Structure formats: structure tokens, C-alpha cells
């Protein structure tokens, strides 16, 4: 009951939050110099033609008017068209957002699978191989740029050993993609029973997931280790030790108490990587959402950028809601 | 005329996400004379800290009147308003938390004076005098709070409170976090300062032996209501409210032969201040409870002038009690036992007037 | 162990010394040659101020001295067995089962994410290997023993839903879970209101006496020990400076530091001034390293005190003090 009331209160704020985010990003984007009309018509456009196009795009109106028109369109589900792809932004994002989501989700799962156990081990053992590994891992993961690491992986696994398909997109050109249901190629091809596509898509995912996963395991490891250390030194762990509970039980209690911090860092990374994975997406020609948005910014193509901002904002809100639900499940004090 | 008058003070805090309130203070009245110590005694949840905050104007009371020097407090007239600045001060329970860890002790003591706009030369003189008064050596003034013991930190807190020469100091559990020896030193210090400067103290504490030493009058609080109030010596010798008796017999003085044995022992714990009992607040824990205690709140009755109690059966409480001030008895025993090891020239010295404390009659 | 006598001590400390290494110097000894033995059913109070080593005493007996500290010398025997000979696993089995702990601030020492039932159950499961229904039955019984009202409901409560007094009772229930021979209470009642403290102490005393459990009651409140303990020991700078039967100790305290602790409660200013010394000096200088550690603060100190470390000597039957010039009455 309490949970429902809480969710209701949260959802109430979603709409104003989204409008606020759109407003701020709209005006920030308008601050970037660049005239879409010039970009679209090229260097030989006439002044007359430019003026006509500007009027058509609504660029001759005041900024506020432009924003209100945009907002009105958004409410009707129209995010405008990208002049680069000449497709509606919704269509473009429907293709690209799932690509990024699939990549980032798998990468974070990998990062969790590496970071949490190593972090726990690093906190439990004051010395030894695991502790040393944890220390150096955190250091290297923090120091390596992800795109460079991606290039090294391509050089080794594709160029040298040819173990994976070419780093060009999500699927080889010769492979017929499965009918789109969820947008995730792994899930869709499994649903369609298209094993060839599944294998190929998985092959394409290996390197970018490794790149992002291995790098982002660093912050997860650091957070797990430091919180876990604090929990192992806390009063309740000391008391559990004095009650003669086995060390693994004490560690399990500490980990449970450390989980909220881990969940927090994962949620922050998730929101960040939706746009922040862009360099890795470029390296692997992934055709993801980040790549799409950056293209928009560079070419004064605002609709894709705004669409990306809107989608990311909604996704972030959903993630934070899930995080709250997880806290709710873990910690009785929040109930 | 009393220095401070509190009449029918009520403080309710709303509970987040509900229409209920935490009834922290429920119609409390008392006054404080210049130079006297009134102790507000009670356990956690008794509202004693909240009363202190209200007196300082740090929170706005839900109801009731607080008059300082016959002028009403509240609205814009708080401890922060210009004409009252420095007149009312506060000493906290946790000395470390009330001090800025990144400021030298000198600056901490000096700060209230800077706020008052005192010139530099005067400030310096007064800071040094205040430090000497609380027993801080000159060399210590350059240190940071973390470099000194908790007892010394509390001395800094007291020096800081006293530097503006306040008329009233609210002492919020100033000894509770301290080791016994530091506690004894702080009590000594507070008594000495009051004797020298005539400051009035509102001494908030659950430490009854400290209360016995420092207070002239005592008000016993239970669930935000004063259940008994009177001169310290009288109240400690003849507690008239079952809760006072329970509180006093729970005190364990360091002498195995001295303890108030009483047939009144309180069961259970203090109820939630959200759902207050309908009649006498102690009814759920009191061994002497009767039907009327559960149906109607007893009125305040006067045992003798200045000694008030809120209990239907207070005469029985006194009759069944043994009318002994165990603190006084303990003191006599302590003097006998501990005096034995003292060299004669010390033990035959001038008797101090401290034994008078608690017997002072403020009319 | 058939040759053991019923009055043989349950736990005996002999010359227990705990040291923390210090870079480029002598290690800091937080406990120095503690000798202490508790008979079955005996309650011994240990009084000390912060820094006296009283918490370290509890941890050393549990063999849980925090790194980098270590037990440098001495022997702890439990039931006649030298605990130093036991391996980590055997020690763990001893903790919580034969030697239990009652701690201060139970609300922060209980796991905030587990219910009362789970926390009692943990101890029962790992030490007694009971099955689920048996654990529940025993947990409810324990909650009833520590006078928790409505145990069926409270067994599902989380620590933050308990009052300080209730949480303290839960910790007592956990301590009693495996019917230990020996319980250490470390400042256990310090956070409680006085009326609740009185209830908890009475309960603790009753449970200990009923079962013949020995109790080491570590506290900074000398008042509690006067009414609650069979014997009282005073700890100063890691040493026992006085120990004696309760009535003898309070009627005839011998060591100036013990007297100082008592004088802290005296109202007579002459007494306090004399025994507590010059208040402006404070204890800022810390204990002396040669001679008697208390010499710097002692009103009775003489030259001998600054050079020669006093031994713990018997002043009256069972009443020992570590002082060259004990107070005579």
C-alpha cells in the first residue's frame, strides 16, 4: 500500500521533470552556433531559398514559440524529422536506442560479474593475490581510455586471430535480421529461432561488451570494495564476529549492507553510458543512440538530439525508480 | 519578577505523511529566577530538550507563552534578535559536535563576541579571561578541538557560552557524554561560574546525581508534562509522584549500602508521544494506578508552597516512602569514607556553602 | 574434566598483555599484565574511563584484538583450557556459544537488514545446528526469558523498530541463546534511560544467577558496580589498580585513583578538590611511563611513585591494590 502511494507520488513528478529537461536542453542546444538551413541547402543556396526554408522550419519565430511548438508536437508523439537521415526521429531511435541498450546492459552485467566478486575479495583479504589483483585492476580500469582499449581488442581478436566477425555494426550484411520485437538482436533472434543470426549477433557483441564491461568494472569494484570494507569494520560485523558466526556469514551480511551503494553506482553508470558509450560505438560502427545524437549536434540537426535527450531522460527516470524499488526490497528502514 | 516565565508551553511536531502529531511538550509552566538553577529532569522522549530549544527561540512553540524579562518571546524576538543577542546561550551535550573542527579554540570562544561587534582589544581580553575562568591554559587556545580531551572540549563550549555574559544558559545534558572525572570537573566549573557571575541555568539532564549537586529547583518531566516540581532538597527527600520515585530509585550511587528501596517500580517503557494516554500519562506503567487515573488527568496540586505535583495519590506516595534523601546520605557516607585518607589540614578546612544548594528558597 | 572442582574459575586471565606496535618506538601496551579469574556464577565489575583499556579487555578475551594489535604475553584459560592453543575455528565455536557478549548501542550493532528472529536464529543455527521449527521455538522462548512483550510479533521486527531497551533485551537473548558459561558485558546499559537500565540490570542479574553463568561487567559507571557486582576491579592505563569484594571495596577503597572515581560523585567541594587535584591541569599529560602510571595525577605521589612501579598487593582478604602508599582507615 505504502509502496503504491510512493509510486503514485513519483509518477506525478515525471511529466514536469521531463518538460524541464526538454526546456533546458532546447535552449542549450540553441546556444550552439550553426544554421540548419545553411547545412541543409549547402554552400550554393540563395538567400531567398534560405529564408523560405527557415520559415518552413519555423526558425524565424522566437525561441519560446519554437519550443512550445516542439513541445506540442512531442505531446502528439511527433519528435520531428532528422534532415540527415530524412526519417522521423522516432523511427531512427526505435532502431538505435535498443542497439545501445543491448550493448550497455550486457556490458554492465559483465562489469558487475567482475567488479562485485573482486571488490568483495579485495575487502575481505588484506593481502594475497586477490587483493593485489583488485588493487591493480581498479587502477588500470580507471586509467585506460575505453575506445583505445576497444581498438586493441579489435587488433588482437579480429585482425590477428580472426576469432570474431568484423567490427562493423551489430550483424553481418549477409545475415537476415530477425523480425523486430524487443529490439535486442539476441532476444529477437532467439524468439524467431534464427540461430544463425543469434550466433552472429553474439559474435558482434563480444568485443564492445568486453570493452565497456572490463573498463566499467573498475568503478563498480572500487565502490564495492570501499563500502564492503566499511561494512566489515562496522559495529554489526564486529558483533557478528563476537557471536562466533562463520566468516562467510559475516561477509554475506556485510555485502547485503553494501548492496545499496553498488546499485547506486550501477544506475549512475547506466545513465551515463547511454550517451557515454559513443566512442566505443564509433569504434565498432555500432549505429547506436549516442552516435546518432553526436551526429545531430555536429550537423545542427536538432531533432535527433532532442529525441535522444528525451529518451535518455525517460530511461534515467525508469532506472532511478527501479533503484528505489531495489532499496525498498533490501532495506527495511526505507519501508 | 522572574527572569524567565514559561506558561502553558505546547510543542507538537507533525508526523511526515500522516495527520498525527508528535506531542513533544504538553502544557509546561515554570519560571526561572536570576542566578538560580532549575533542572528539567526526564528520560528520552520527555520533551526536555525541546523545551530548551523553545526557550531559546530556536523553534516556534505550537502554543503557550515564553516571557524573558517580562517581554514575550516569539515572532521576530528570538535568541538571534539584536536586543537579546548574547543574553541567552546554549551548551550542548556532545562538545565535539558543537565545535568547528577546523577552527582554533581561540576563534571559537571569540566568535560570539565578533557577532556582537565588540572591538578587537576588548575581545582579546575577554577571551583570555573566559579561558582562564574555565581552566583552559593560554597555550591550549591555539589548538584545534580534536587535539584536546572531551572534558576540555566541553570547557571550550562553556567558555563560548559564557563569553557574552548571558543571563540564562540552557545546559543540554552537558555532562552526559563525559567520563566520571571530567563530569565532576564540569559540574564544579558550572557551580563556580554561577557563584561568580550569577548566571541562571536551565539544566537539562537525566543524570540525577549531577542534578542534585547543581540545582536549586527540579522539574520532573514525563511525556512532555511536568509531573512534579519543587526545591531540589525537598523533591529528592520526599518525592511525591510515582514517576519521581521510580526515577530516584533507579539511580545507582557508588555505595552498595545506599539505594532507595521502594515498592513503586515502573514497568515497561515510555509510551509513544504520538498516541498519548488519555488521562494520566504514567497510568500504563504505574503500580498505584486506579480507575480515575485512566479516565481523567489529575490536576496540579500543591504539596507545600513551591512544591507541585500532578498525581491523585501523592499523599500515599509520600506516606509509603521513607522520606530519606539518599543523595544526602550518600554524601555523608562519602565524606566519612573519602575524608579518611585526606591529610588533617585539608579535611578541617572551611566548609563550603555547597551543601546549601537545593535548600535555597526563592520564595 | 572430571578432576575439575566446582569452584575452579570459568575463565582465568594471567598476565594478559596487549600491545600495538608503534613506528620507531616501544609498542603501546593497552593492557598490562591483567590477572583476573571468575568463579562460576560470579559477577565481576570492571570500571574504567575512556582510554583505560576496558573495551580492549573484552576483545582480548574473545581473542579478537584489532590489527595491528596483538596479545603480547599472558594466558587466557577457559574452563581450564588455554585459549591460546585453540585454532581459529575452535575459537569461533567458543564465541557466542560458551563465551557470549552483550554490547553497548545494540541498535547499531544489530544487523539493520535482518529481523530479530533471523539474528537470534543465526547464532542458534551455527552453534547448535537446530532445524527451523526448533530455532523458532527456541527464539520465542529466549525473547520471553528476556521479558520482551509480544514475542510472536517482535520476532519479525527489525532493529530500527525497537526501542533502545528492547534492542538491549534482544542482544541479551542472543547472548543467552546457547547457554554460555561466561558472558562479557561491554558498557551494555550506558545508552539506556535510568528506569529502563534498572529493569535491564535486574533481568541480567536474575538470568545470570539462575544459570550460574559468570559475568564480566565492563562499565564506566562505578555506581552500577556498587549494586550489581560481587567484586569490583578498577582499570587505569591498562592495569588493574584495585580489585576487591564489593562491600570491602566501597567501604574501604585503597587506591587514590579508585578514590578519585568515587570522589567524582561527592558533593563536598573540599573532597573533590583534594582527590581530583587541580582541575586546570586536567589529564592532558597522559599516564607516566616509568613508575606508577597514576603518579602524575595522584595527590599522594612521592618520589618512589615516580621511579618504582607498584605491584598488586593484598591489603585485606581478597582485596588488592597497586599502590606504594594505599589509603589506611
Amino acid at each position: 500500500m505504502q509502496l503504491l502511494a510512493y509510486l503514485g507520488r513519483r509518477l506525478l513528478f515525471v511529466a514536469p521533470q521531463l518538460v524541464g529537461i526538454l526546456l533546458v536542453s532546447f535552449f542549450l542546444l540553441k546556444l550552439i552556433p550553426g544554421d540548419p538551413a545553411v547545412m541543409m541547402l549547402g554552400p550554393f543556396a540563395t538567400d531567398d531559398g534560405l529564408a523560405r526554408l527557415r520559415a518552413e522550419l519555423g526558425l524565424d519565430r522566437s525561441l519560446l514559440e519554437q519550443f512550445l511548438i516542439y513541445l506540442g508536437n512531442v505531446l502528439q508523439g511527433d519528435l520531428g524529422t532528422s534532415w540527415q537521415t530524412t526519417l522521423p526521429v522516432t523511427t531512427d531511435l526505435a532502431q538505435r536506442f535498443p542497439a545501445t541498450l543491448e550493448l550497455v546492459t550486457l556490458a554492465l552485467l559483465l562489469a558487475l560479474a567482475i567488479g562485485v566478486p573482486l571488490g568483495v575479495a579485495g575487502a575481505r583479504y588484506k593481502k594475497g593475490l586477490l587483493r593485489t589483483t583488485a588493487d591493480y585492476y581498479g587502477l588500470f580500469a580507471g586509467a585506460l581510455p575505453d575506445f583505445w582499449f576497444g581498438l586493441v581488442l579489435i587488433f588482437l581478436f579480429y585482425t590477428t586471430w580472426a576469432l570474431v566477425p568484423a567490427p562493423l555494426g551489430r550483424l553481418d550484411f549477409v545475415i537476415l535480421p530477425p523480425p523486430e520485437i524487443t529490439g535486442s538482436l539476441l532476444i529477437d533472434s532467439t524468439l524467431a529461432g534464427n540461430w544463425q543470426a543469434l550466433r552472429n549477433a553474439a559474435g558482434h557483441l563480444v568485443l564492445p561488451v568486453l570493452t565497456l564491461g572490463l573498463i566499467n568494472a573498475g568503478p563498480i569494484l572500487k565502490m564495492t570494495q570501499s563500502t564492503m570494507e566499511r561494512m566489515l569494520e562496522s559495529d554489526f560485523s564486529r558483533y557478528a564476529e563476537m557471536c562466533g558466526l562463520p566468516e562467510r556469514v559475516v561477509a554475506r551480511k556485510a555485502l547485503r549492507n553494501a548492496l545499496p551503494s553498488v546499485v547506486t553506482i550501477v544506475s549512475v553508470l547506466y545513465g551515463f553510458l547511454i550517451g557515454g558509450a559513443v566512442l566505443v560505438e564509433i569504434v565498432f560502427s555500432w549505429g547506436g543512440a549516442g552516435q546518432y545524437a553526436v551526429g545531430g549536434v555536429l550537423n545542427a540537426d536538432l531533432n535527433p538530439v532532442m529525441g535522444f535527450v528525451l529518451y535518455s531522460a525517460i530511461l534515467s527516470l525508469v532506472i532511478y525508480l527501479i533503484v528505489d524499488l531495489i532499496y525498498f526490497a533490501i532495506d527495511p528502514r526505507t519501508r | 519578577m522572574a527572569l524567565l516565565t514559561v506558561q502553558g508551553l505546547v510543542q507538537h511536531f507533525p508526523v511526515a505523511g500522516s495527520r498525527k502529531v508528535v506531542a513533544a511538550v504538553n502544557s509546561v509552566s515554570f519560571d526561572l529566577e536570576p542566578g538560580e538553577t532549575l533542572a528539567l529532569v526526564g528520560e528520552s522522549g520527555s520533551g526536555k530538550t525541546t523545551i530548551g530549544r523553545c526557550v531559546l527561540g530556536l523553534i516556534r512553540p505550537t502554543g503557550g507563552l515564553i516571557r524573558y524579562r517580562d517581554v514575550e518571546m516569539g515572532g521576530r524576538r528570538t535568541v538571534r534578535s539584536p536586543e537579546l543577542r548574547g543574553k541567552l546561550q546554549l551548551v550542548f551535550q556532545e562538545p565535539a559536535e558543537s565545535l568547528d573542527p577546523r577552527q582554533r579554540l581561540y576563534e571559537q570562544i571569540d566568535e560570539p563576541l565578533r557577532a556582537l561587534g565588540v572591538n578587537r582589544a576588548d575581545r582579546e581580553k575577554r577571551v583570555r579571561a573566559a579561558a582562564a575562568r574555565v581552566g583552559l591554559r593560554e597555550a591550549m587556545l591555539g589548538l584545534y578541538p580534536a587535539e584536546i580531551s572531551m572534558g576540555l572540549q566541553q570547557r571550550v563550549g562553556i567558555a563560548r557560552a559564557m563569553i557574552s555574559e548571558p543571563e540564562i544558559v540552557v545546559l543540554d545534558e552537558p555532562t552526559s557524554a563525559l567520563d566520571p572525572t571530567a563530569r565532576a570537573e564540569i559540574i564544579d566549573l558550572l557551580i563556580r561560574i554561577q557563584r561568580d557571575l550569577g548566571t541562571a541555568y536551565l539544566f537539562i539532564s537525566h543524570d540525577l546525581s549531577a542534578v542534585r549537586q547543581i540545582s536549586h529547583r527540579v522539574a520532573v518531566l514525563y511525556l512532555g508534562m511536568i509531573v512534579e516540581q519543587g526545591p531540589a532538597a525537598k523533591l529528592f527527600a520526599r518525592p511525591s509522584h510515582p514517576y519521581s520515585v521510580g526515577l530516584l530509585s533507579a539511580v545507582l550511587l557508588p555505595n552498595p549500602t545506599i539505594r532507595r528501596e521502594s515498592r513503586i517500580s515502573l514497568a515497561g517503557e515510555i509510551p509513544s508521544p504520538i498516541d498519548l494516554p488519555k488521562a494520566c500519562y504514567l497510568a500504563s506503567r504505574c503500580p498505584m494506578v486506579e480507575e480515575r487515573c485512566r479516565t481523567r488527568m489529575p490536576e496540579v496540586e500543591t504539596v507545600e508552597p513551591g512544591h507541585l505535583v500532578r498525581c491523585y495519590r501523592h499523599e500515599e506516595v509520600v506516606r509509603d516512602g521513607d522520606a530519606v534523601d539518599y543523595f544526602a546520605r550518600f554524601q555523608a557516607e562519602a565524606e566519612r569514607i573519602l575524608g579518611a585518607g585526606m591529610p588533617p589540614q585539608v579535611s578541617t578546612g572551611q566548609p563550603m556553602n555547597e551543601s546549601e544548594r537545593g535548600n535555597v528558597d526563592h520564595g | 574434566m572430571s578432576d575439575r572442582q566446582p569452584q575452579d574459575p570459568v575463565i582465568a586471565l594471567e598476565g594478559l598483555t596487549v600491545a600495538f606496535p608503534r613506528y620507531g618506538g616501544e609498542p603501546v601496551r593497552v593492557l598490562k599484565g591483567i590477572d583476573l579469574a571468575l568463579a562460576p556464577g560470579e559477577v565481576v565489575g570492571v570500571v574504567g574511563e575512556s582510554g583505560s583499556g576496558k573495551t580492549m579487555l573484552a576483545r582480548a578475551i574473545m581473542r579478537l584484538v584489532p590489527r595491528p594489535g596483538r596479545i603480547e604475553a599472558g594466558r587466557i584459560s577457559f574452563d581450564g583450557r588455554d585459549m591460546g592453543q585453540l585454532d581459529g575455528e575452535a575459537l569461533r565455536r567458543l564465541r557466542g556459544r560458551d563465551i557470549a557478549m552483550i554490547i553497548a548501542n545494540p541498535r547499531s550493532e544489530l544487523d539493520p537488514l535482518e529481523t530479530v528472529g533471523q539474528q537470534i536464529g543465526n547464532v542458534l543455527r551455527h552453534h547448535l545446528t537446530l532445524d527451523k521449527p526448533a530455532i523458532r521455538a527456541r527464539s520465542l522462548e529466549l525473547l520471553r526469558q528476556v521479558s520482551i512483550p509480544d514475542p510472536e510479533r517482535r520476532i519479525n521486527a527489525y532493529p530500527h523498530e525497537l526501542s533502545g531497551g528492547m534492542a538491549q533485551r534482544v542482544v541479551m537473548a542472543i547472548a543467552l541463546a546457547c547457554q554460555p558459561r561466561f558472558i562479557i558485558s561491554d558498557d551494555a546499559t550506558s545508552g539506556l534511560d535510568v528506569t529502563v537500565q534498572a529493569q535491564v540490570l535486574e533481568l541480567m542479574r536474575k538470568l545470570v544467577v539462575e544459570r550460574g553463568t559468570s559475568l564480566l561487567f565492563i562499565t564506566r559507571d562505578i555506581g552500577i558496580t556498587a549494586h550489581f557486582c560481587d567484586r569490583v576491579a578498577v582499570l587505569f592505563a591498562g592495569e588493574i589498580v584495585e580489585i576487591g569484594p564489593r562491600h570491602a571495596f566501597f567501604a574501604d577503597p585503597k587506591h587514590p585513583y579508585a578514590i578519585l572515581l568515587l570522589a567524582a560523585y561527592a558533593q563536598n567541594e573540599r573532597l573533590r578538590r583534594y582527590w581530583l587535584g587541580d582541575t586546570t591541569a586536567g589529564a592532558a599529560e597522559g599516564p607516566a611511563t616509568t613508575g606508577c602510571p597514576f603518579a602524575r595525577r595522584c595527590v599522594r605521589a612521592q618520589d618512589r611513585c615516580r621511579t618504582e612501579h607498584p605491584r598488586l598487593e593484598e591489603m585485606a582478604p581478597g582485596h588488592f591494590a597497586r599502590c606504594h602508599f594505599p589509603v589506611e582507615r
Side-chain angles (χ1 to χ4, degrees):
Chain A
M1 237 2 262
Q2 238 180 323
L3 181 61
L4 286 180
Y6 172 76
L7 283 182
R9 265 202 312 278
R10 277 295 289 262
L11 288 175
L12 214 64
F13 287 104
V14 166
Q17 276 170 334
L18 287 180
V19 172
I21 290 166
L22 282 182
L23 182 76
V24 171
S25 33
F26 188 84
F27 286 100
L28 283 179
L29 284 170
K30 288 287 181 186
L31 286 177
I32 302 173
D35 186 340
V38 177
M39 289 286 216
M40 285 163 86
L41 294 180
F44 305 110
T46 60
D47 285 352
D48 202 31
L50 282 174
R52 215 169 332 112
L53 185 60
R54 283 200 193 104
E56 212 175 289
L57 295 171
L59 293 175
D60 51 347
R61 298 168 193 247
S62 77
L63 274 184
L64 189 65
E65 262 179 290
Q66 287 184 42
F67 178 69
L68 290 177
I69 291 168
Y70 178 75
L71 201 60
N73 289 340
V74 168
L75 288 178
Q76 290 161 31
D78 175 12
L79 298 182
T81 328
S82 159
W83 67 261
Q84 293 179 92
T85 63
T86 67
L87 291 171
V89 169
T90 42
T91 314
D92 279 343
L93 282 177
Q95 208 177 39
R96 290 156 202 260
F97 222 77
T100 298
L101 275 185
E102 184 173 41
L103 171 62
V104 169
T105 309
L106 288 174
L108 279 176
L109 286 177
L110 175 68
L112 270 173
I114 298 168
V116 171
L118 257 186
V120 169
R124 273 177 76 176
Y125 309 110
K126 296 289 165 225
K127 44 187 157 221
L129 183 63
L130 276 172
R131 170 69 184 228
T132 319
T133 313
D135 285 350
Y136 280 103
Y137 192 99
L139 191 66
F140 282 120
L144 291 182
D146 51 7
F147 62 90
W148 177 81
F149 188 57
L151 288 172
V152 170
L153 288 182
I154 290 171
F155 175 72
L156 290 176
F157 287 86
Y158 173 69
T159 317
T160 313
W161 299 323
L163 291 173
V164 294
L168 297 166
R170 305 169 73 192
L171 215 51
D172 282 347
F173 294 115
V174 294
I175 306 274
L176 210 60
E180 194 170 314
I181 303 167
T182 60
S184 153
L185 285 181
L186 291 186
I187 298 174
D188 288 350
S189 48
T190 309
L191 289 177
N194 186 345
W195 308 124
Q196 195 192 16
L198 178 67
R199 214 172 35 242
N200 191 263
H204 278 273
L205 273 165
V206 169
L207 289 191
V209 165
L210 269 180
T211 308
L212 286 174
L214 288 174
I215 296 284
N216 286 290
I220 294 177
L221 182 155
K222 280 283 165 206
M223 180 59 93
T224 310
Q225 184 172 345
S226 71
T227 320
M228 189 70 187
E229 267 168 10
R230 208 153 25 91
M231 291 302 157
L232 281 174
E233 279 159 20
S234 71
D235 289 349
F236 67 82
S237 294
R238 203 184 46 181
Y239 176 58
E241 213 179 353
M242 286 181 168
C243 287
L245 297 181
E247 211 247 317
R248 71 192 142 80
V249 178
V250 179
R252 202 163 56 214
K253 278 163 168 278
L255 180 59
R256 251 178 68 126
N257 276 278
L259 271 187
S261 309
V262 178
V263 171
T264 306
I265 185 91
V266 170
S267 70
V268 170
L269 284 176
Y270 210 106
F272 166 75
L273 282 182
I274 294 301
V278 61
L279 289 177
V280 173
E281 287 184 351
I282 290 170
V283 167
F284 289 95
S285 308
W286 199 247
Q291 225 175 324
Y292 181 61
V294 169
V297 172
L298 294 177
N299 295 300
D301 191 4
L302 290 196
N303 286 335
V305 184
M306 291 299 290
F308 173 78
V309 167
L310 185 66
Y311 274 44
S312 312
I314 292 172
L315 186 75
S316 293
L317 290 175
V318 170
I319 290 169
Y320 289 141
L321 200 66
I322 292 172
V323 166
D324 280 352
L325 291 179
I326 295 177
Y327 286 167
F328 214 73
I330 297 177
D331 192 341
R333 283 167 297 187
T334 58
R335 281 171 217 162
Chain B
M1 180 194 71
L3 189 60
L4 180 81
T5 315
V6 174
Q7 271 171 359
L9 181 70
V10 176
Q11 181 69 61
H12 290 177
F13 298 106
V15 178
S18 123
R19 228 166 282 150
K20 296 186 169 181
V21 292
V22 175
V25 181
N26 301 293
S27 189
V28 160
S29 305
F30 60 84
D31 30 71
L32 184 64
E33 304 288 337
E36 88 165 330
T37 303
L38 171 67
L40 299 180
V41 171
E43 300 179 278
S44 45
S46 64
K48 53 192 193 300
T49 297
T50 309
I51 295 173
R53 302 275 139 125
C54 288
V55 164
L56 292 170
L58 296 174
I59 42 181
R60 183 191 292 261
T62 313
L65 273 181
I66 299 173
R67 297 164 80 84
Y68 168 68
R69 288 210 169 274
D70 227 21
V71 184
E72 198 178 323
M73 300 276 288
R76 283 216 201 91
R77 197 160 186 270
T78 72
V79 69
R80 295 192 189 92
S81 54
E83 77 270 25
L84 289 186
R85 214 177 262 172
K87 295 287 178 204
L88 299 132
Q89 288 285 11
L90 176 65
V91 174
F92 295 90
Q93 172 173 4
E94 290 285 342
E97 283 167 28
S98 65
L99 300 176
D100 181 344
R102 281 169 300 272
Q103 231 183 11
R104 291 180 197 278
L105 302 183
Y106 182 94
E107 272 108 57
Q108 315 241 9
I109 301 174
D110 185 38
E111 202 172 26
L113 289 183
R114 276 201 308 261
L116 287 171
V118 178
N119 73 52
R120 200 190 176 86
D122 276 359
R123 274 189 358 233
E124 176 151 359
K125 214 159 51 198
R126 280 169 71 175
V127 170
R128 300 211 182 279
R133 187 181 290 289
V134 299
L136 287 171
R137 276 173 299 182
E138 288 269 317
M140 285 181 184
L141 293 177
L143 299 177
Y144 291 95
E147 297 174 288
I148 57 175
S149 71
M150 234 196 212
L152 288 171
Q153 287 172 354
Q154 192 58 296
R155 286 164 193 260
V156 176
I158 292 170
R160 194 181 143 95
M162 294 297 171
I163 189 111
S164 60
E165 293 167 7
E167 292 188 303
I168 298 176
V169 177
V170 175
L171 301 159
D172 191 355
E173 304 257 17
T175 59
S176 301
L178 305 179
D179 272 330
T181 49
R183 169 185 164 280
E185 290 170 7
I186 293 295
I187 294 170
D188 261 350
L189 180 66
L190 289 170
I191 291 174
R192 199 147 17 94
I193 288 175
Q194 185 172 59
R195 201 160 54 204
D196 295 351
L197 304 179
T199 319
Y201 291 155
L202 195 60
F203 185 71
I204 295 169
S205 184
H206 65 259
D207 177 354
L208 288 171
S209 57
V211 166
R212 182 68 184 89
Q213 285 175 39
I214 203 170
S215 318
H216 304 99
R217 290 191 304 127
V218 176
V220 180
L221 285 153
Y222 188 73
L223 276 178
M225 183 174 276
I226 295 181
V227 293
E228 180 170 2
Q229 92 172 287
K234 300 239 168 71
L235 196 143
F236 275 77
R238 289 166 169 267
S240 304
H241 195 282
Y243 181 66
S244 312
V245 176
L247 214 50
L248 284 171
S249 43
V251 175
L252 302 171
L253 290 164
N255 185 329
T257 60
I258 293 173
R259 186 173 177 190
R260 182 176 289 272
E261 299 290 342
S262 167
R263 68 183 184 89
I264 296 176
S265 79
L266 300 173
E269 294 182 22
I270 196 162
S272 155
I274 296 177
D275 295 303
L276 283 178
K278 283 176 193 61
C280 176
Y281 290 173
L282 193 66
S284 62
R285 298 178 69 190
C286 181
M288 299 178 74
V289 65
E290 293 179 332
E291 192 45 42
R292 56 179 167 168
C293 306
R294 298 188 203 277
T295 50
R296 206 164 55 81
M297 172 72 82
E299 295 298 317
V300 177
E301 291 181 51
T302 305
V303 181
E304 52 187 277
H307 189 171
L308 311 173
V309 65
R310 198 188 271 274
C311 176
Y312 290 120
R313 303 181 65 183
H314 64 88
E315 280 164 1
E316 287 166 71
V317 174
V318 175
R319 199 176 58 220
D320 295 351
D322 41 14
V324 173
D325 185 344
Y326 284 89
F327 288 84
R329 184 179 281 185
F330 168 76
Q331 294 304 336
E333 276 292 287
E335 272 172 51
R336 190 181 63 75
I337 296 168
L338 306 182
M342 284 162 63
Q345 67 275 17
V346 181
S347 45
T348 55
Q350 280 288 315
M352 294 285 182
N353 58 354
E354 284 319 300
S355 54
E356 289 165 21
R357 206 161 261 269
N359 299 326
V360 184
D361 192 0
H362 286 279
Chain C
M1 287 191 216
S2 51
D3 56 332
R4 290 182 52 76
Q5 301 297 307
Q7 282 313 303
D8 279 348
V10 172
I11 188 115
L13 318 179
E14 291 160 60
L16 180 66
T17 301
V18 172
F20 282 76
R22 196 172 42 167
Y23 185 73
E26 270 284 284
V28 181
R29 298 198 169 79
V30 291
L31 287 179
K32 286 174 275 190
I34 303 281
D35 293 314
L36 188 65
L38 272 77
E42 194 184 22
V43 179
V44 173
V46 174
V47 182
E49 300 191 281
S50 39
S52 63
K54 58 188 197 313
T55 297
M56 199 51 67
L57 180 62
R59 303 197 64 174
I61 296 174
M62 284 283 192
R63 292 245 160 200
L64 285 172
V65 175
R67 258 183 279 251
R70 61 187 192 89
I71 296 180
E72 192 186 53
R75 197 179 126 103
I76 305 170
S77 26
F78 177 74
D79 245 349
R81 276 179 300 166
D82 182 358
M83 283 176 72
Q85 302 296 318
L86 301 177
D87 63 6
E89 181 60 15
L91 280 172
R92 181 187 70 68
R93 287 182 182 285
L94 219 55
R95 287 181 208 125
R97 193 185 63 188
D98 300 306
I99 304 180
M101 187 86 186
I102 303 177
I103 56 213
N105 310 319
R107 278 203 288 189
S108 75
E109 310 228 4
L110 291 170
D111 186 336
L113 306 186
E114 286 188 351
T115 63
V116 167
Q118 285 170 324
Q119 312 211 26
I120 302 177
N122 270 338
V123 173
L124 290 172
R125 190 168 60 245
H126 289 291
H127 286 308
L128 303 182
T129 55
L130 298 177
D131 60 355
K132 265 200 168 157
I135 286 178
R136 187 178 158 83
R138 176 91 179 113
S139 303
L140 286 171
E141 185 194 329
L142 284 164
L143 291 178
R144 240 171 259 127
Q145 280 172 5
V146 296
S147 310
I148 286 184
D150 201 359
E152 264 88 5
R153 193 166 61 86
R154 288 288 160 77
I155 198 169
N156 295 321
Y158 288 94
H160 72 278
E161 297 167 329
L162 301 173
S163 69
M166 282 300 144
Q168 193 75 69
R169 285 164 200 264
V170 169
V171 168
M172 278 169 65
I174 294 174
L176 294 170
C178 308
Q179 300 191 303
R181 306 274 318 277
F182 176 49
I183 297 179
I184 305 171
S185 152
D186 185 7
D187 233 351
T189 57
S190 60
L192 302 179
D193 279 326
V194 281
T195 57
V196 179
Q197 172 180 285
Q199 295 166 3
V200 169
L201 284 175
E202 201 170 307
L203 182 68
M204 211 188 280
R205 173 99 214 173
K206 185 181 131 236
L207 293 171
V208 165
V209 169
E210 270 174 9
R211 290 171 171 72
T213 313
S214 308
L215 175 65
L216 188 69
F217 192 86
I218 299 172
T219 178
R220 63 175 196 180
D221 184 348
I222 197 169
I224 296 179
T225 61
H227 301 270
F228 183 65
C229 302
D230 301 318
R231 280 192 293 153
V232 179
V234 175
L235 208 57
F236 179 80
E239 284 182 330
I240 291 182
V241 294
E242 182 161 355
I243 179 167
R246 168 171 63 143
H247 283 281
F249 173 86
F250 284 99
D252 190 14
K254 294 294 185 189
H255 194 283
Y257 178 67
I259 297 175
L260 179 153
L261 286 181
L262 293 169
Y265 290 84
Q267 198 166 355
N268 182 310
E269 208 173 314
R270 267 181 304 118
L271 269 181
R272 289 165 70 161
R273 285 282 165 77
Y274 179 74
W275 289 113
L276 279 121
D278 178 15
T279 53
T280 54
E285 287 164 357
T289 44
T290 55
C292 172
F294 186 59
R296 278 187 194 160
R297 286 171 67 188
C298 184
V299 285
R300 296 165 66 87
Q302 300 180 25
D303 287 343
R304 184 179 166 200
C305 303
R306 289 176 199 103
T307 52
E308 188 188 331
H309 185 244
R311 290 215 319 263
L312 197 61
E313 282 179 72
E314 190 157 16
M315 307 280 158
H319 191 172
F320 298 80
R322 191 186 288 278
C323 183
H324 293 308
F325 306 102
V327 174
E328 304 286 348
R329 290 187 177 77

